[in-house]
Amino acid sequence: MTAADRGATTIADRVVAKIAARAAREALGSVPEDGRPPHATVTVHHGTARVQVGVELDYPSDIGAQCGAVRSQVEHRVRTLADMEVPEVVVRVERLHTAQSGTAARGRLR
């Protein structure tokens, strides 16, 4: 009897999304002050995961390089940990944080 005949393993979309979000955090190294950590949504179909990751970055920064690092790390982690093909990782930069904006925001809260 082969492994396929004995049963199947299914990994929920939300589990793959958690792997993707953590991988994005690893790629970025840190979250901007007052920023949200990366989050992900995933659609899994027949062993293939399509991933969309939302990130917030410091300004100024090399947005292209950071997004490339996120795509690479997410693809690698999902492929390695969930044994899924990842033909697409869309990185959405949702917000840029400046050092002045964090200081100004805290000043307005007085």
Side-chain angles (χ1 to χ4, degrees):
M1 185 180 283
T2 68
D5 293 334
R6 292 190 300 262
T9 300
T10 302
I11 302 172
D13 292 14
R14 69 180 180 273
V15 173
V16 180
K18 181 159 277 204
I19 293 168
R22 286 186 182 221
R25 174 79 184 259
E26 291 170 5
L28 294 174
S30 66
V31 174
E33 186 177 327
D34 299 330
R36 285 181 46 189
H39 57 279
T41 56
V42 174
T43 303
V44 176
H45 186 67
H46 297 296
T48 299
R50 296 197 182 278
V51 182
Q52 185 173 47
V53 180
V55 298
E56 296 186 8
L57 303 174
D58 283 319
Y59 179 86
S61 64
D62 186 341
I63 294 171
Q66 287 187 302
C67 290
V70 168
R71 277 191 293 277
S72 177
Q73 184 71 359
V74 167
E75 187 274 332
H76 171 73
R77 286 292 197 194
V78 171
R79 186 173 30 82
T80 302
L81 298 176
D83 193 29
M84 293 183 181
E85 292 299 315
V86 186
E88 177 179 58
V89 177
V90 175
V91 180
R92 187 178 63 245
V93 179
E94 297 176 341
R95 189 171 174 197
L96 294 175
H97 293 266
T98 63
Q100 296 90 3
S101 68
T103 303
R106 283 191 297 274
R108 286 192 298 261
L109 293 175
R110 290 184 191 169

